[in-house]
Amino acid sequence: MQLVSPNFKDVLTPNIELKKFPDGDSYVRIPKLKECTGEVTLYHRLYPKQDRSLIQTLLILETLRQVNANVTLVAPYLPYARQDKIVLEGEVKSAETICKLLAQSGCKKLVTIDCHFLKKEGEFDYAGLKIRNISMNDKLIAHAKKAFNDEPFEIISPDEGAKYMVAAKGGKSMKKTRGVYEQGDVAYRAISKLEGKFDFRDKNVLIIDDIIATGSTMFKALENVKASGAKSIACAATHGFFLKDSLAKLRTSCNFVFVSNSIPSPVSEVNIMEKLKA
Ligand code: R5P
């Protein structure tokens, strides 16, 4: 049985109801619950509105428990995946918390894409949750080939976390260092260094990362690649949040910007379903 959330309606036909009560509490209903007694694949995006989407997921999983369904959750982007380490005493590894919650709520397996803390494709067990991690790297590279009109191009990742996305294709990685948390109520550590020496004179270059969030990483990588003499530059990522107007800025700073539709955006030019259905 396939269950599809309304937030997947750009690629599949929804058959779950998600609403809000007047006070803002989440409401979920599975009209075909009686048919969900065996294997169930649940397509539900967890971003944007990650906290609400996670609560909806827990409620859907609990509803499916009523019929003992065996649930595989397909969530292309896993929120909180970047909080997998303790930086300061007194913090929590939120990535583990979310995975534990999903497992304890009856999620038998999570299928996700370019999950930040896994850093490679494959099958994993993380905080008690079985995870299948798929990479969009080959599809993003194929898309860049078209963008560069079949001309040769170099591939690079802006940090070592995304090394697995480029290494198999002979790509190199820069090294990123972040500073301390900034003051204020946004938990953010600015990039203090992005190192890497390249000679890209007159070459086409594709920069690939798992995520473009504020765009800071991509902008620093762009500076470096431009300084190395590149002729044409494409910036790509699996997940594009494009916070702080970064999409508009990136569009004017390089030749091509594109991401997958793991999170729908105006530049979601690579379709996740090609990998999810494979
Ligand atoms: C983190 O290391 C990830 O691989 C990305 O580089 C990062 O999340 C991008 O964030 P931002 O766009 O805010 O620099």
Side-chain angles (χ1 to χ4, degrees):
M1 178 72 184
Q2 177 171 291
L3 289 179
V4 181
S5 156
N7 71 17
F8 241 100
K9 69 172 184 293
D10 54 318
V11 280
L12 294 168
T13 306
N15 56 2
I16 296 182
E17 290 175 19
L18 296 180
K19 300 182 188 182
K20 272 189 234 169
F21 287 101
D23 62 358
D25 286 356
S26 295
Y27 168 94
V28 311
R29 179 171 172 256
I30 304 169
K32 291 187 175 170
L33 183 63
K34 279 196 187 139
E35 295 170 41
C36 296
T37 49
E39 295 297 321
V40 170
T41 305
L42 166 64
Y43 289 84
H44 181 51
R45 282 192 173 96
L46 300 180
Y47 190 91
K49 300 185 185 147
Q50 58 271 48
D51 291 354
R52 176 170 299 281
S53 305
L54 282 165
I55 290 289
Q56 288 167 338
T57 309
L58 301 186
L59 295 175
I60 295 168
L61 289 170
E62 193 60 31
T63 310
L64 287 167
R65 253 196 231 268
Q66 294 172 26
V67 290
N68 293 318
N70 219 351
V71 189
T72 297
L73 167 65
V74 181
Y77 171 69
L78 181 66
Y80 293 92
R82 292 187 292 171
Q83 281 77 60
D84 62 325
K85 289 187 192 75
I86 291 191
V87 178
L88 292 181
E89 191 186 339
E91 294 177 347
V92 64
K93 293 181 188 171
S94 319
E96 287 188 358
T97 309
I98 299 305
C99 290
K100 269 186 217 162
L101 262 178
L102 290 174
Q104 287 164 6
S105 304
C107 175
K108 295 287 179 257
K109 187 171 191 173
L110 168 70
V111 175
T112 192
I113 305 181
D114 288 315
C115 176
H116 185 74
F117 57 76
L118 293 175
K119 299 188 185 356
K120 57 180 170 189
E121 280 195 286
E123 304 276 338
F124 302 86
D125 197 318
Y126 183 85
L129 180 67
K130 287 196 184 336
I131 305 180
R132 177 173 166 227
N133 188 38
I134 297 168
S135 183
M136 289 304 293
N137 61 346
D138 54 344
K139 299 289 173 193
L140 293 167
I141 291 169
H143 195 73
K145 192 169 183 289
K146 280 190 259 163
F148 288 130
N149 248 328
D150 281 329
E151 283 183 21
F153 58 95
E154 302 286 328
I155 307 173
I156 190 150
S157 77
D159 60 32
E160 290 177 324
K163 195 173 182 173
Y164 77 97
M165 295 182 76
V166 303
K169 307 283 174 186
K172 296 203 170 80
S173 298
M174 300 182 195
K175 188 170 186 292
K176 180 164 80 182
T177 313
R178 289 195 183 269
V180 296
Y181 282 110
E182 292 179 352
Q183 293 291 316
D185 58 4
V186 177
Y188 184 70
R189 295 188 298 136
I191 300 167
S192 50
K193 262 194 284 181
L194 195 77
E195 298 164 283
K197 272 206 165 189
F198 311 99
D199 181 0
F200 289 143
R201 247 172 305 168
D202 300 324
K203 292 194 169 158
N204 298 315
V205 181
L206 166 66
I207 310 174
I208 294 195
D209 205 353
D210 56 341
I211 301 169
I212 298 175
T214 63
S216 314
T217 305
M218 211 37 111
F219 287 119
K220 289 252 186 232
L222 257 175
E223 270 174 38
N224 184 319
V225 171
K226 278 184 184 174
S228 73
K231 173 174 80 167
S232 180
I233 308 172
C235 293
T238 300
H239 311 292
F241 310 174
F242 298 117
L243 308 174
K244 299 187 171 183
D245 205 22
S246 52
L247 177 55
K249 290 183 200 154
L250 274 175
R251 276 175 150 164
T252 58
S253 313
C254 65
N255 304 83
F256 312 101
V257 188
F258 54 87
V259 292
S260 81
N261 56 346
S262 74
I263 299 163
S265 80
V267 290
S268 290
E269 294 167 14
V270 178
N271 193 353
I272 52 170
M273 295 313 286
E274 290 176 29
K275 295 295 292 241
L276 291 177
K277 290 282 185 191

